[in-house]
Amino acid sequence: MTEIDQTIKNQPCQTREETISQLSSLHQRSPLTNVHGMGPMLISDIPLNALQSAAACPKSKKKPVIMGIDEAGRGPVLGPMTYGAAYWTLDDDAAITNPKRHNFMDSKLMTPIGREQAFEKLKLDTEIGFVLRVIHASEISRNMLQPSTTGAYNLNEQSHDAAMQMIQAVLDAGVVLDTVYIDTVGTPSSYQRKLERRFAHQNNQDGGGKVRGGGEDITFVVEKKADSKYETCSAASIVAKVMRDEIIKEWEWSEVGYEAMCNHKTATSQAENESNDEAVSKRRKGDVDFGSGYPSDPKCKEWMKRNIADPVFGYPDFVRFSWGTTKTQMLEKSVRVDWEHEDDPDAVPDHQQTKLSQFCTGGKKRRLGYFHRMGLK
């Protein structure tokens, strides 16, 4: 199995075979990625028809390309958030969205088996291009818990940036996008203006003179429930949802020696029908009973109570430390750590610092003699 680079990748795969191989490797994570840096971004091979939209293509042969963007896993306290994009040419739209070929719909309205079958067909269709950006729980936590001096990098901003990274990656690959449909995060009109500012007046050449896709002519359509209105968004939602489920299903703990504590009754019942090797494999891959992963889910709550991995560092990096549920459990079950402030040897001691109040005269001011003579107060 090919190991994917654990950084943002700006280069598309060369073939559909390479794309599928990279998809199957996304659950393999380097421990260092959990400490710093961004999660992976996978760009499929570019459909030949989509490349005919490039700036270098004769005007008479250019084909407008439409794209949809959606996410999965925004609310859970466990696991990554994934962003998906799907695109194809407008000329191919009628054929691709024909129910006999693809029956795209909002992934939330589909059964797990239906989503998986739809994704299998999608990833084999070489006239459809797609992008997947994985934002691991560790990345979300690190960004949202930044020191106040730099300002918190909230989930909305992370979501916006993930969408813009995917758009830019496709533009850089030589595709000229005509329309991009996005399921909104936050206020649709504000998000749309942000996208328009980001891609306005793009230079079509990089520093080396290489022609790149420009984004200044993109029409952005940002709406609520866009994944149920536009087929490209529906396809993107399927990419995001299926791959998030797959990453969680194949999860391997990066913490050395860590095994999630399973629900005893459930584990005992399952063990009766499993060999020892199967049980060990399940623990290694993180096959634990945490339900949907949402903070309100009773199974998730119980999992959080059972799985404080370390009394100081708390949970494994599968957990989003920036969520209120995590903070509450950490306060109740972890060791309190007070970080002492280290004095800066170059800092000026407080008693030597000049204060603004020193420039002001203290006490009651003496009134001029005129006021006393005239009896004025």
Side-chain angles (χ1 to χ4, degrees), residues 115-131:
R115 284 193 298 265
E116 291 172 7
Q117 291 175 342
F119 184 57
E120 284 299 314
K121 292 175 66 177
L122 182 154
K123 70 182 184 183
L124 292 173
D125 194 330
T126 56
E127 291 185 343
I128 299 176
F130 59 90
V131 185

Side-chain angles (χ1 to χ4, degrees), residues 34 50-51 83 132 176 218 265 288 296 312 315 336 339 349-350:
N34 305 318
L51 284 176
Y83 253 82
L132 179 72
V176 178
I218 298 175
K265 291 182 179 180
V288 290
S296 59
V312 176
Y315 290 100
R336 179 183 175 87
W339 299 96
D350 288 343

Side-chain angles (χ1 to χ4, degrees), residues 18 24 50 111 130 153 249 271 278 300 356 371:
E18 181 188 356
S24 64
T111 64
F130 59 90
Y153 183 19
K249 179 182 176 182
E278 288 174 329
C300 180
L356 183 61
F371 290 91

